[in-house]
Amino acid sequence: MIVTKKIEIKGLVQGVGFRPAIYRIAMNHLIKGTVENTNAGVIIVAEGLEKQVDSFINILPDQVPVAANITSINIERLPVQNYPDFKIIKSSSNSDEITQVSPDIAVCEDCLDDLKHQPHRINYPLTNCTNCGPRFTIIKSLPYDRLRTTMAPFEMCPTCRDEYTNVLNRRFHAQPVACNDCGPKYTLLTQHDQITDFIQLVKAAALMIDSGKLLAIKGMGGFHLACAALNREAVLKMRELKCREGKPFALMVRDLTVAEKFVILGEEERRLLTSWHRPIVLATSLGTIPSEVAMGLNSVGIMLPYMPFHHLLFEQMNSDVLVFTSGNFSDEPIIIQNEEGIKAFLDKTAAVIFYNREIVNRTDDSVAFVVNRKSRLIRRSRGYAPSPVNLNLNMEGIFAAGAELVNCFAIGKGTQAIMSQHIGDLKNMETLDFYSESIERFSQLFRFVPILAVADLHPDYLSTRYAEEMNIPLILVQHHHAHMASCMAEHGLTEKVIGICFDGTGLGTDGHIWGGEFLYGDLLGFERFSHFEYIPQPGGDAVTKHPWRMMVSYLVHYFGTGIFEEYPFILEGIDKTECNVVVSMINNKINTPLTSSTGRLFDAVSALLGICRHAAYHAEAPMQLEAVVDPYTDSVYSWIPGSSISFKPLFRQILDDLSTGISVGEISGKFHNTLVEVVVTTAKTMRTKLNTNMVVLSGGSFQNKMLLQKTENKLKDCNFAVYSQEQVPSNDGGIALGQLAIAAQRRLHNRL
Ligand code: ZN
Ligand code: ZN
Ligand code: FE
């Protein structure tokens, strides 16, 4: 019997070679009918023998391209139409619902092969196909068609057009399809010269890197700065250029074999590194990375080539490992425009290398790490954004402003939370511009009309101010409630849970700075069950640059200034006058907000161990403290439980350990173990009193691998159901998702 079925598929189905794949599957199953892109997804009409149509539908999900992600399939029976064949029909935009935009996809193996063998693509550095290439970075509007991308000005040559129109070709409807004859081209510009012949260009670039020069190279989502990582002078020059004293650099390595000379890779790390997302993976260092790159940290950020250009460059170079850092200055957004790149880098590097295709949506390299065999994100950008997170909540029309540091915003489209790419620290004008431009772009791209805004409780966050100025109803959400909700949203939790949120800073409902929080609640609201004891934070935010001030504050708070006479080594190397100023700020309560922050506790311990007293970058003290940790110690320090958790005994015991010459590695290990014990003990108390077994872990402090791993495992050993963040960062980059979930749930329950 002949039947006709309409199959509506939603999810990430555009720009990933979906329709041609459907065509080929239809051919194999002798199916007739049509497939088309709409704003809402892909619609297939399949006609054929009932058995064949059903088996076609059954195998569809398994045979779609790697980057596709089907979220729903809806099937409807139609009257028989007697189609003569199977056709891909033109995109129509007949719905206000919007489909997903694919993230950018790393170059595929087939395309790398084409660089060697396909006559019109020999060494063509922007080769792509339906399975790979730029997407989000070049899309201006939907539906996804070449004319709505920055490929529009490039007219296809006859060969490319043949491929583009041949349904059996891998480049069928590959919107950015291009070749040596018709595609965008690279240019290498020096102060005196310009090279446009690609072979000459890439050879010159390779020679410059190998001889220790710095290059600015336009990538997928913005400019990079690159140099040979094993050339000490080059790396020091790079530090100077980036005005970056202490922060480690990310590396791009030739291949996995080279990567394993520098870092330890487990199965999951290898999978992540070679995945089409191609993030920077933070992996444990083997100690073979030069110190001027790694800067004392035990993890190194490493990635594999992801554009044809990267591969072609490695072919010409002797260097196997490059410093590959984003092309920006300090905290400004990475540069995407050619003229700007030239202006910024031409006189500071040996050459600026760029191509004449525009980047519309700026993306940084994403950063991920692996704990307990799961990948976690620290920065969610290229290769991930703007993939949505699907929730069981209607979020339509909700705009979530995010927090301030490592900002991401989010918009609600139906049950999808569409998270922006990493925006950055909303502290300078350039980043704020990037923020508001991106909001406008997302609104246009996803046809988003905000009707409800949600922002952080902190009135001074520029994101909160932006939301206020939208002049639509606004919900303010406490920072750590948003952290907890972000993790809950990812895992579809709506019941009451124990929320353990450890981070650096977030305004509390009592006006103090929170950050070591044990919450109990759901998406509608929360109670604060317990928190780290309040400690004065002398100088407010400025403290984060001077971890020693938190050390002084903790010690004075617990023991008074007499402690400095008892253990004279504490203040060695610290300016006496500055120290006196800090002590008098504390005593006179001048500019000393109170904090329960985990980050500040790490600062204090890190400074006390002499590991980091002055921080060159955000969270250096906690990261350096984690870097020295001796993972084999089982000992813990004492602490005092309660609604306000005191670390007084811990500080006394650390001082005694230091006096008796116990190694900083062991002390750091004991400190980490203590925090794990604090979490587990408090969670057990909460379980008994509140009768829930579910624990949600969030906040930037859970980017600490040791802390996350041990906490998760110990909680599981005690039969807790433990949830941690995987799809969005546990740092403030994940806040917008929590804000969105809270606003949606409150709207649903009329609790705005
Ligand atoms: Zn490809
Ligand atoms: Zn061509
Ligand atoms: Fe936070």
Side-chain angles (χ1 to χ4, degrees):
M1 197 181 67
I2 300 286
V3 295
T4 307
K5 288 184 179 176
K6 181 172 141 187
I7 307 146
E8 246 185 302
I9 304 183
K10 290 187 186 173
L12 177 50
V13 289
Q14 288 187 20
V16 290
F18 200 80
R19 288 173 303 164
I22 297 294
Y23 182 91
R24 288 189 284 268
I25 305 168
M27 289 288 127
N28 292 339
H29 286 77
L30 307 172
I31 301 294
K32 291 173 175 169
T34 58
V35 56
E36 72 176 309
N37 271 351
T38 70
N39 286 326
V42 163
I43 294 177
I44 304 165
V45 178
E47 191 168 87
L49 289 171
E50 183 156 26
K51 230 171 90 184
Q52 277 160 341
V53 171
D54 289 346
S55 93
F56 168 74
I57 293 172
N58 280 337
I59 60 129
L60 266 188
D62 297 328
Q63 296 200 356
V64 297
V66 282
N69 179 20
I70 296 176
T71 54
S72 76
I73 300 186
N74 193 28
I75 299 160
E76 204 183 301
R77 190 105 181 220
L78 296 181
V80 175
Q81 325 259 320
N82 291 313
Y83 286 99
D85 51 12
F86 193 87
K87 266 207 183 77
I88 300 182
I89 54 180
K90 242 179 145 309
S91 299
S92 66
S93 66
N94 49 10
S95 149
D96 268 348
E97 248 187 294
I98 206 79
T99 189
Q100 294 180 23
V101 172
S102 170
D104 301 288
I105 306 168
V107 60
C108 73
E109 290 297 325
D110 291 334
C111 282
L112 288 177
D113 199 52
D114 289 345
L115 296 180
K116 303 265 169 297
H117 304 112
Q118 224 183 21
H120 56 305
R121 288 204 181 80
I122 298 288
N123 296 322
Y124 180 57
L126 291 161
T127 294
N128 65 81
C129 73
T130 44
N131 299 320
C132 76
R135 297 290 186 274
F136 175 56
T137 49
I138 60 165
I139 292 179
K140 291 175 168 171
S141 64
L142 287 178
Y144 175 57
D145 267 323
R146 188 173 177 108
L147 284 178
R148 297 183 186 88
T149 71
T150 54
M151 280 302 288
F154 300 93
E155 183 148 2
M156 276 182 234
C157 69
T159 322
C160 282
R161 182 153 293 282
D162 280 350
E163 295 171 309
Y164 182 84
T165 47
N166 175 4
V167 76
L168 296 174
N169 193 286
R170 202 175 86 247
R171 294 197 170 82
F172 178 75
H173 283 204
Q175 306 305 342
V177 69
C179 76
N180 275 318
D181 301 326
C182 65
K185 294 197 170 31
Y186 272 78
T187 301
L188 180 151
L189 199 63
T190 68
Q191 281 179 346
H192 319 285
D193 206 3
Q194 174 174 323
I195 308 178
T196 51
D197 176 81
F198 186 73
I199 289 301
Q200 272 185 41
L201 180 160
V202 73
K203 283 189 169 160
L207 198 65
M208 287 173 183
I209 295 272
D210 283 339
S211 57
K213 303 262 175 29
L214 272 48
L215 292 182
I217 306 169
K218 182 168 170 176
M220 190 91 94
F223 273 88
H224 284 105
L225 293 162
C227 71
L230 303 183
N231 184 321
R232 185 163 184 272
E233 270 161 49
V235 176
L236 293 178
K237 259 191 279 174
M238 183 71 86
R239 290 219 168 270
E240 207 178 305
L241 197 173
K242 289 271 291 181
C243 307
R244 186 150 151 179
E245 272 170 29
K247 204 171 174 181
F249 283 127
L251 303 176
M252 183 180 274
V253 298
R254 186 180 290 277
D255 52 31
L256 277 183
T257 315
V258 173
E260 294 197 299
K261 291 182 185 165
F262 299 105
V263 290
I264 302 168
L265 298 177
E267 199 186 321
E268 184 58 20
E269 275 107 349
R270 274 196 289 269
R271 194 199 61 74
L272 250 184
L273 273 172
T274 51
S275 73
W276 62 267
H277 306 282
R278 282 292 198 286
I280 295 172
V281 175
L282 287 179
T284 307
S285 169
L286 287 166
T288 44
I289 300 275
S291 59
E292 62 274 11
V293 174
M295 301 308 280
L297 292 187
N298 63 341
S299 296
V300 185
I302 209 154
M303 69 182 136
L304 293 182
Y306 57 87
M307 291 176 82
F309 178 85
H310 302 150
H311 288 272
L312 293 165
L313 181 63
F314 272 107
E315 263 173 35
Q316 299 295 331
M317 271 186 318
N318 295 321
S319 307
D320 282 335
V321 46
L322 303 182
V323 162
F324 219 72
T325 182
S326 45
N328 60 349
F329 294 112
S330 54
D331 290 333
E332 289 172 16
I334 45 169
I335 292 172
I336 55 174
Q337 273 163 4
N338 292 344
E339 312 76 66
E340 233 188 298
I342 293 165
K343 204 174 128 204
F345 303 127
L346 190 60
D347 60 346
K348 296 191 178 71
T349 58
V352 180
I353 300 170
F354 56 92
Y355 54 84
N356 58 336
R357 182 184 71 208
E358 241 184 285
I359 296 170
V360 207
N361 294 300
R362 170 189 285 119
T363 55
D364 291 78
D365 292 316
S366 294
V367 183
F369 67 103
V370 176
V371 161
N372 288 338
R373 273 175 271 121
K374 283 185 200 143
S375 78
R376 332 275 180 158
L377 286 165
I378 288 181
R379 190 202 284 154
R380 190 177 184 274
S381 196
R382 177 188 49 76
Y384 293 89
S387 299
V389 181
N390 293 293
L391 310 189
N392 274 330
L393 281 167
N394 173 20
M395 293 168 288
E396 186 64 42
I398 305 177
F399 167 76
E404 178 157 86
L405 293 177
V406 295
N407 176 282
C408 280
F409 64 85
I411 60 173
K413 283 297 289 182
T415 56
Q416 294 187 335
I418 303 175
M419 304 281 295
S420 77
Q421 71 271 46
H422 163 83
I423 302 287
D425 295 349
L426 287 184
K427 280 186 165 164
N428 57 52
M429 274 311 293
E430 288 79 7
T431 314
L432 188 62
D433 287 345
F434 176 30
Y435 180 71
S436 49
E437 274 164 27
S438 301
I439 293 169
E440 274 164 44
R441 198 156 279 141
F442 269 63
S443 303
Q444 195 213 347
L445 192 54
F446 298 100
R447 297 178 199 190
F448 173 76
V449 181
I451 50 174
L452 174 64
V454 51
D456 195 277
L457 191 62
H458 203 305
D460 297 334
Y461 281 2
L462 295 178
S463 53
T464 306
R465 292 206 196 143
Y466 183 95
E468 277 167 357
E469 282 163 18
M470 290 172 87
N471 285 319
I472 53 174
L474 172 65
I475 300 177
L476 297 180
V477 170
Q478 198 280 323
H479 188 91
H480 302 91
H481 187 209
H483 270 308
M484 163 180 155
S486 174
C487 189
M488 291 174 71
E490 259 198 49
H491 297 283
L493 308 176
T494 47
E495 52 273 76
K496 289 204 170 171
V497 301
I498 296 167
I500 299 173
C501 303
F502 287 179
D503 70 356
T505 179
L507 181 63
T509 51
D510 57 1
H512 299 312
I513 302 170
W514 294 9
E517 308 304 314
F518 293 85
L519 310 180
Y520 171 67
D522 54 21
L523 296 178
L524 289 173
F526 73 97
E527 291 160 45
R528 194 184 192 201
F529 184 86
S530 171
H531 61 87
F532 293 173
E533 183 174 359
Y534 281 132
I535 304 292
Q537 185 171 313
D541 281 348
V543 141
T544 53
K545 294 200 176 88
H546 310 289
W548 68 269
R549 290 194 191 177
M550 279 316 295
M551 166 191 86
V552 168
S553 184
Y554 260 101
L555 294 175
V556 170
H557 174 79
Y558 284 138
F559 312 108
T561 47
I563 197 78
F564 302 128
E565 282 143 44
E566 216 179 314
Y567 302 88
F569 63 83
I570 298 173
L571 293 182
E572 266 168 35
I574 286 173
D575 187 289
K576 235 186 160 156
T577 335
E578 274 189 67
C579 184
N580 289 338
V581 172
V582 167
V583 171
S584 89
M585 281 167 86
I586 296 167
N587 288 339
N588 300 309
K589 298 195 171 73
I590 298 163
N591 191 15
T592 49
L594 294 177
T595 184
S596 58
S597 158
T598 305
R600 298 299 78 77
L601 174 64
F602 267 89
D603 280 354
V605 174
S606 191
L608 185 55
L609 303 197
I611 291 166
C612 178
R613 295 192 152 174
H614 302 274
Y617 54 93
H618 178 72
E620 181 185 357
M623 284 160 80
Q624 298 283 7
L625 185 59
E626 182 192 358
V628 300
V629 79
D630 168 0
Y632 301 108
T633 174
D634 292 328
S635 327
V636 290
Y637 292 116
S638 308
W639 54 286
I640 306 166
S643 60
S644 165
I645 293 163
S646 168
F647 292 104
K648 185 172 180 180
L650 172 140
F651 275 93
R652 173 66 76 179
Q653 287 162 4
I654 289 181
L655 285 168
D656 289 339
D657 273 358
L658 282 171
S659 309
T660 52
I662 305 282
S663 76
V664 291
E666 192 173 343
I667 299 176
S668 172
K670 286 165 84 173
F671 170 69
H672 279 79
N673 293 342
T674 310
L675 285 187
V676 176
E677 200 194 78
V678 169
V679 170
V680 176
T681 309
T682 312
K684 280 183 182 166
T685 312
M686 292 175 81
R687 171 160 68 186
T688 313
K689 286 201 175 154
L690 303 164
N691 204 20
T692 174
N693 197 37
M694 295 163 104
V695 177
V696 157
L697 304 174
S698 188
S701 301
F702 285 110
Q703 290 170 145
N704 179 314
K705 284 189 191 180
M706 173 67 58
L707 185 64
L708 178 58
Q709 187 185 334
K710 286 198 171 179
T711 305
E712 255 193 11
N713 293 345
K714 284 265 162 75
L715 284 168
K716 280 180 191 159
D717 290 347
C718 299
N719 296 316
F720 283 99
V722 191
Y723 301 89
S724 54
Q725 306 228 249
E726 292 160 46
Q727 294 185 64
V728 300
S730 70
N731 61 37
D732 287 4
I735 285 273
L737 180 67
Q739 293 174 339
L740 212 51
I742 289 172
Q745 184 79 340
R746 286 198 190 157
R747 181 169 69 178
L748 183 68
H749 290 263
N750 290 317
R751 298 249 309 258
L752 291 183

